[in-house]
Amino acid sequence: MKANEAQHFPGRVLLRCALAALCGGGGAVASHAHAGARQAPPLLVYTDIVSGPNDGGENNKGIYLSLFGKNWGNVGLGSALKVFIGGVEVDNYRSLGRARGRPDIQQLTVQIGALGKPRPGAALPLKVVLNGVASNDNLTFTVNPGRILFVDNVNGKDMTAVAGDIRRPFRHVQTARLDQAAWGQAGAGDFIVLRGTGTAWTDRGHDGYFLRVRDKSGTAPTGAPRSGPIGLMGYPGEDVYIYQAYQADARNNPPKGAISAINAQEYPGLGQWLSVSNLRIEAGGPAGAINLQILGSHWRIVNNELSAATAVGNSDAKAGGIVGNGFGQVWLGNHIHDVYCGPANRGPLQNHGIYIDGDGDYEIAYNVIENIPGGSGFQTYANGSNGSDTTGNINFHHNLIRGVGKHGINLADGSRERINIFNNIVADTRYAGLRFNSTQLRQARIYNNTFYHTNTEGKAGYAAIMNDWHLPAHAIDLQNNLVVPSPGTDYTGGSVGFALSAGVVNRNFWFGGKGDTGLDAYPQTGAHGFAAAGRDFHLRPDSWAVDAGSAAVAGLVTNDYDISTPRPQGLGFDIGAYELAR
């Protein structure tokens, strides 16, 4: 750990230890390959970017691309382990290691090179090959023209910087003047690459943010010049740390946040189509680490470490890891942690891990959201104040949420339709593991999640799954969830509770709590059979949750939390986030 890291964020070393324990020694996301088992084929799950130039930049070999997946081994990068785009091998290999999000997912970074000079704008299949065995090739990358602007906060100079030249980098990403620094030159299709020199990025850009996307937008990548998202990424293998701490004394010019869009209702067409990847950000201002504002559409946020530990200086920061709303959102593989809520953490619990506050559509997966004493792990809430009265169109899956000061998952005011929540692990929540508070919810599909050690405070009227408003008929479809509250606390509750008309509740597994499970058409009970309760939620073969689930989830749930294990196995679907591999 670098000296400045310890100075600015002393709690980080503890989180690294916690994640190390999670990754090995029976962690909640530990791999469970049997000794002597045949090596599983490589699996490609997601990438940090989906388009970029195949020329310019370092050695004129184009943009850097990180791929994320499983079963890639630990050695042989570039020899036994290779990457192909459109059937052509990439130019050079940079690193192979653990992703920033879930510790069981690997990150492989390359520089793409010319790739045989394919036609710009064509979506080319991606493939990882290990010892001659190929991965799935259903993900694509589009070669798209653009420039690469390097920024170095130690060795850079804005006056002499040259776009595309790693030897002559800019000093600033953005200054108070939008036409200066790297941001002043960047346009659609360009990438700003930050160097990690061991010195934290404390610069202030426009309007009190490190970077305010105020005056421009990217576009969809079409292959034409001046098209494509604007990219912001950390240089491969370097720790790029953006430190925008909140300070209570206004004379110290406290930042509003780190990276932010603009209100696209007031500024139509601006603040959209950005990618943010491979950064580490601490931002405790009122806007949090990354804020989409209103209709900050088409942001791709991948493989970042995001925190708001310094929000202790603002009792009502409403900050968080990722906040805002918009269409075309893709937020994958981030580690969001240490989000606080006011002096001595006694604020109003409004600083959440991920907070959707308006209309749009969202793909949110493979994130670790932990140690969020400031609020809920994941919250949806829309009441008209952020551009829309409702929110929905959400796929929230394969995420780990643990150690939160409010609810694990909170579907609150305005949460409406096409909400899918599946294959998540939610543990150690002060209040509910899953809470409803919407009169507009329609057939929210909540499948195959594991809720463990909920309502740790033991608060009366609270429960593992709770409802605080009058749900309409057919609001929920709750199946195959494994529910283990804190000992002696209720399975279901809330100020209103659940009526039988609320929707489908079927074949959930209830263990260790108390109270009524009569809303479940076929409640399952018995020994949960965790490999190591509280640490590893894989199921043992003797678990009563094995093969006890409903097959009605098959249209949505095709694998388990491990990603690499298909569902169902054996005689039927298992209950909870994990499927027992056969």
Side-chain angles (χ1 to χ4, degrees):
M1 184 170 64
K2 296 181 176 66
N4 73 290
E5 180 180 335
Q7 177 183 352
H8 289 304
F9 199 175
R12 178 173 160 81
V13 66
L14 300 178
L15 278 159
R16 281 183 170 170
C17 294
L19 275 178
L22 206 61
C23 186
V29 289
S31 174
H32 270 228
H34 297 289
R38 186 173 60 183
Q39 173 65 44
L43 176 65
L44 177 57
V45 182
Y46 58 95
T47 60
D48 62 343
I49 58 174
V50 295
S51 64
N54 61 343
D55 59 8
E58 189 174 3
N59 298 318
N60 197 34
K61 293 183 177 181
I63 195 60
Y64 312 103
L65 170 67
S66 287
L67 302 90
F68 301 86
K70 304 186 76 168
N71 307 326
W72 294 351
N74 298 311
V75 295
L77 181 61
S79 54
L81 182 64
K82 298 184 177 184
V83 174
F84 294 83
I85 303 177
V88 179
E89 187 175 2
V90 299
D91 185 273
N92 62 87
Y93 297 87
R94 292 307 184 101
S95 62
L96 173 65
R98 200 187 76 184
R100 288 182 185 261
R102 285 179 35 173
D104 62 327
I105 293 179
Q106 295 176 275
Q107 177 181 1
L108 192 169
T109 302
V110 302
Q111 189 179 16
I112 64 173
L115 298 175
K117 299 183 178 180
R119 176 174 61 87
L124 306 174
L126 283 165
K127 182 171 60 178
V128 176
V129 177
L130 177 62
N131 294 321
V133 178
S135 72
N136 53 304
D137 61 357
N138 57 314
L139 301 184
T140 63
F141 183 85
T142 298
V143 172
N144 195 74
R147 299 175 304 161
I148 301 170
L149 290 73
F150 295 94
V151 190
D152 186 323
N153 64 343
V154 172
N155 302 306
K157 295 181 180 179
D158 291 338
M159 296 297 295
T160 59
V162 176
D165 192 340
I166 194 171
R167 298 165 300 178
R168 288 183 284 181
F170 291 86
R171 164 60 184 85
H172 298 92
V173 173
Q174 186 183 70
T175 66
R177 285 188 50 175
L178 294 169
D179 61 344
Q180 294 181 342
W183 182 254
Q185 292 201 22
D190 293 342
F191 285 83
I192 298 174
V193 178
L194 284 69
R195 301 302 302 267
T197 58
T199 299
W201 291 77
T202 59
D203 306 327
R204 198 71 48 78
H206 182 72
D207 195 26
Y209 295 86
F210 175 78
L211 173 64
R212 189 77 190 268
V213 187
R214 162 67 178 79
D215 59 328
K216 62 185 71 172
S217 284
T219 73
T222 65
R226 294 178 295 280
S227 75
I230 301 173
L232 186 73
M233 67 164 57
Y235 183 83
E238 296 182 353
D239 179 24
V240 178
Y241 181 30
I242 298 172
Y243 184 72
Q244 299 287 299
Y246 184 86
Q247 296 170 340
D249 187 346
R251 290 175 299 177
N252 289 331
N253 188 27
K256 295 178 181 177
I259 299 173
S260 176
I262 195 74
N263 182 342
Q265 287 189 321
E266 296 182 8
Y267 301 88
L270 298 178
Q272 302 178 356
W273 286 100
L274 258 78
S275 67
V276 181
S277 59
N278 306 308
L279 303 175
R280 181 162 65 96
I281 300 173
E282 160 59 29
I290 300 179
N291 196 311
L292 287 302
Q293 302 290 343
I294 298 175
L295 292 178
S297 297
H298 301 288
W299 280 54
R300 187 177 182 91
I301 303 170
V302 180
N303 198 51
N304 302 284
E305 183 178 344
L306 309 173
S307 61
T310 57
V312 294
N314 189 347
S315 62
D316 190 14
K318 297 182 181 177
I322 303 174
V323 179
N325 65 76
F327 293 89
Q329 305 296 346
V330 179
W331 308 339
L332 307 175
N334 301 285
H335 180 200
I336 301 171
H337 62 88
D338 282 278
V339 176
Y340 288 83
C341 68
N345 207 38
R346 295 191 183 97
L349 295 177
Q350 295 186 30
N351 299 348
H352 312 293
I354 292 179
Y355 181 14
I356 294 172
D357 60 10
D359 200 9
D361 56 82
Y362 308 86
E363 182 73 14
I364 306 171
Y366 317 115
N367 302 285
V368 173
I369 305 170
E370 63 176 351
N371 194 27
I372 314 291
S376 296
F378 172 61
Q379 171 162 301
T380 62
Y381 177 95
N383 66 354
S385 61
N386 288 303
S388 50
D389 295 319
T390 63
T391 187
N393 307 307
I394 298 166
N395 285 318
F396 185 83
H397 59 95
H398 296 89
N399 301 284
L400 172 65
I401 299 175
R402 65 187 306 155
V404 298
K406 199 172 183 181
H407 310 295
I409 297 174
N410 186 16
L411 302 182
D413 307 35
S415 301
R416 188 172 181 181
E417 57 195 356
R418 291 182 293 277
I419 296 177
N420 301 314
I421 296 175
F422 61 98
N423 282 345
N424 301 287
I425 296 173
V426 179
D428 303 321
T429 62
R430 182 181 177 189
Y431 297 151
L434 172 64
R435 184 235 189 187
F436 301 100
N437 192 64
S438 174
T439 61
Q440 299 170 296
L441 200 62
R442 299 178 184 176
Q443 296 180 326
R445 297 192 289 181
I446 318 290
Y447 296 160
N448 283 98
N449 303 284
T450 295
F451 298 101
Y452 178 84
H453 205 216
T454 57
N455 193 14
T456 58
E457 190 174 275
K459 191 168 183 176
Y462 282 51
I465 300 176
M466 56 187 288
N467 175 49
D468 286 327
W469 214 348
H470 294 286
L471 290 171
H474 312 295
I476 59 175
D477 184 356
L478 195 72
Q479 301 194 60
N480 292 3
N481 298 284
L482 206 165
V483 183
V484 183
S486 295
T489 62
D490 289 331
Y491 293 121
T492 61
S495 58
V496 175
F498 296 89
L500 293 179
S501 63
V504 175
V505 181
N506 183 41
R507 289 193 176 274
N508 300 283
F509 194 98
W510 313 88
F511 179 87
K514 66 182 181 67
D516 185 22
T517 59
L519 74 162
D520 196 321
Y522 295 97
Q524 306 296 302
T525 59
H528 58 63
F530 290 140
R535 295 188 297 115
D536 186 346
F537 299 107
H538 286 86
L539 301 177
R540 298 193 308 263
D542 62 349
S543 168
W544 287 50
V546 171
D547 295 341
S550 166
V553 305
L556 179 64
V557 181
T558 60
N559 59 17
D560 75 345
Y561 181 91
D562 272 336
I563 311 168
S564 55
T565 303
R567 293 189 195 259
Q569 308 237 338
L571 300 177
F573 280 79
D574 297 349
I575 297 176
Y578 285 108
E579 185 83 8
L580 180 66
R582 310 292 173 89

